[in-house]
Amino acid sequence: MNEAERNWHLINVKAVVGDQVIDGSVSVENGIITAIIEGKYIPPQDTNSRIVDGQGSWLLPGFIDMHVHGGFGGDFMDASRDAYDTITRFHASKGTTRMLATTVTASQAAIEAVLKATAEYAAGTMPYAQLAGVHLEGPFISELWPGAQNPAYISPPRLDWVQSWNEQYPGLIKQLTLAPEKETACELIAFLSESGIVAACGHTDATYAHITRAADAGLTQAVHTFNAMRGLHHREPGTVGAVLTDDRIYAEIIADGHHVHPAAIALVMKSKPADKVILITDAMAAAGLGDGDYELGGLNVDVVNGVARLRNGGSLAGSTLTMIDALRYVLTHTGLSPAQISRMASGNPARQLGIDEITGSIEIGKRADLVLADAAFTGVSHTWVEGRLVYGS
């Protein structure tokens, strides 16, 4: 990358800067945001920096997807560089700049293959969206709420497995989803918390009391809130009731119009603090490819009209959602502003992952993980990762 490509100015944009929207420009040097300028930008005559005209488009911090299984035919369980390039290239074209390679409930060997492949991929040059680590969704989940997870591989909590994986790949595992009501689950949650790994509840039959005890042990997140978990009842608030009322817990939402009704999304937004909601895709391999026959965790999946369901049983099987579509859905179905929703797609996951000092918002000194979206948020024209253009021209 030559000097002109490393240093550039993006002019004429509506930039989401914190809770504000600024009509102006952003300057980048060596992949770092160096200036945020309100109003018209007049470049110095001696500059060798490239100038990109945003033509009034929205400039957002790059999206951070903490829960994504694949896209455009690739699945993280494929455990191959080709698959990871395919997934990260596709989601970068939809505004994602960082993501967690998310597994499914599978054999110990299959999970270890993903850990090895992700460690090797992240150690090299990642040309598109960056893998920030691994999200282990299962296998320590409830047999009562498998969803689209393969029940053949459900396991009791295995602290020894997780300790071994964390020793072999230090810092790689960023999130682990489990059923907190399982025996010894709180012991594992405490280890995760001490190790800087997000402990999340999901695919769970946990009661309100189970979740409260788990939060005391270090649980801080709920995956795809409402889906594959014990629901809210006025005498037993259940998993959902605990997630909505315990401010220690972040709530993930799949905002695609299929997983969660708009009124339920509104309930989450009104119940949780603004900094405790995280938009995710839960996208599987079909994302970007349209209807057809697919597979998730060894189970057959049919995608019809963009909705992925298990062929046997009909359970929702991940999604075909992208982050830009999730943002637009929330914008359309709530009274929230683009700046408020941007926080849920970027700032909140960055803080939960402990990377908010370097990314997740448009601020001077942070890495230029940026997305240029059209006025209606129907698409992305440019995506930059650390100042490097990974999508667009």
Side-chain angles (χ1 to χ4, degrees):
M1 185 177 286
N2 61 41
E3 189 69 19
E5 291 173 322
R6 292 168 64 240
N7 304 313
W8 47 273
H9 304 282
L10 180 58
I11 66 171
N12 189 22
V13 293
K14 296 173 71 69
V16 172
V17 181
D19 293 327
Q20 296 182 310
V21 176
I22 293 176
D23 291 317
S25 308
V26 172
S27 297
V28 174
E29 294 183 15
N30 297 319
I32 303 297
I33 298 169
T34 57
I36 301 168
I37 304 158
E38 192 165 6
K40 186 175 180 180
Y41 171 76
I42 302 175
Q45 291 187 353
D46 60 349
T47 184
N48 66 347
S49 300
R50 184 165 57 100
I51 297 176
V52 180
D53 189 347
Q55 300 181 341
S57 295
W58 285 90
L59 183 68
L60 307 169
F63 307 138
I64 300 172
D65 194 349
M66 295 183 67
H67 191 156
V68 51
H69 296 280
F72 214 70
D75 189 310
F76 282 118
M77 296 303 297
D78 295 340
S80 72
R81 174 165 286 276
D82 285 347
Y84 290 11
D85 275 346
T86 296
I87 297 165
T88 56
R89 180 192 300 115
F90 169 71
H91 285 288
S93 75
K94 305 300 181 180
T96 297
T97 53
R98 296 175 193 269
M99 61 173 66
L100 297 185
T102 306
T103 64
V104 295
T105 292
S107 68
Q108 181 182 5
I111 292 170
E112 289 174 350
V114 174
L115 292 171
K116 181 176 184 293
T118 306
E120 291 174 351
Y121 189 80
T125 299
M126 293 184 281
Y128 309 108
Q130 306 293 284
L131 294 187
V134 171
H135 169 190
L136 299 178
E137 187 179 12
F140 316 128
I141 61 173
S142 170
E143 293 84 355
L144 299 176
W145 297 89
Q149 304 283 333
N150 193 331
Y153 295 109
I154 292 176
S155 166
R158 291 292 302 265
L159 177 59
D160 56 335
W161 289 7
V162 180
Q163 287 176 325
S164 176
W165 295 336
N166 198 48
E167 289 173 6
Q168 188 171 1
Y169 303 105
L172 183 67
I173 301 171
K174 298 298 186 183
Q175 179 174 335
L176 188 147
T177 296
L178 78 170
E181 71 275 17
K182 290 271 191 171
E183 188 176 356
T184 73
C186 280
E187 181 182 355
L188 176 52
I189 290 169
F191 171 79
L192 296 173
S193 180
E194 293 166 2
S195 303
I197 299 169
V198 174
C201 62
H203 296 275
T204 172
D205 197 46
T207 64
Y208 181 91
H210 285 136
I211 297 296
T212 300
R213 284 197 294 270
D216 291 342
L219 183 114
T220 61
Q221 193 152 315
V223 303
H224 42 55
T225 302
F226 296 110
N227 297 111
M229 61 178 59
R230 182 188 282 249
L232 174 66
H233 188 275
H234 58 284
R235 285 190 292 272
E236 168 43 63
T239 307
V240 170
V243 171
L244 293 179
T245 56
D246 194 325
D247 289 348
R248 295 173 292 181
I249 300 174
Y250 285 78
E252 292 180 4
I253 287 289
I254 307 172
D256 64 353
H258 307 296
H259 282 78
V260 185
H261 190 280
I265 293 177
L267 177 61
V268 171
M269 303 306 180
K270 291 180 179 180
S271 301
K272 301 298 294 181
D275 61 353
K276 288 298 177 76
V277 180
I278 292 176
L279 296 182
I280 58 151
T281 65
D282 199 11
M284 48 93 72
L289 291 182
D291 293 354
D293 301 334
Y294 298 91
E295 186 178 285
L296 181 66
L299 303 176
N300 292 321
V301 175
D302 294 321
V303 177
V304 179
N305 296 325
V307 182
R309 292 185 179 275
L310 289 184
R311 185 169 303 161
N312 295 324
S315 292
L316 287 166
S319 83
T320 60
L321 187 65
T322 65
M323 288 295 284
I324 187 65
D325 292 334
L327 185 148
R328 185 179 66 256
Y329 187 88
V330 177
L331 183 65
T332 302
H333 291 88
T334 71
L336 299 177
S337 69
Q340 290 172 309
I341 304 167
S342 172
R343 180 190 302 178
M344 299 172 188
S346 306
N348 291 352
R351 188 175 58 259
Q352 175 70 320
L353 288 170
I355 56 175
D356 54 311
E357 289 188 0
I358 63 169
T359 190
S361 60
I362 300 176
E363 294 182 50
I364 293 173
K366 289 194 175 182
R367 297 177 187 179
D369 294 346
L370 301 170
V371 177
L372 197 62
D374 62 39
F377 299 101
T378 57
V380 168
S381 63
H382 297 72
T383 304
W384 292 269
V385 174
E386 299 185 2
R388 178 171 49 88
L389 186 67
V390 299
Y391 175 73
S393 60

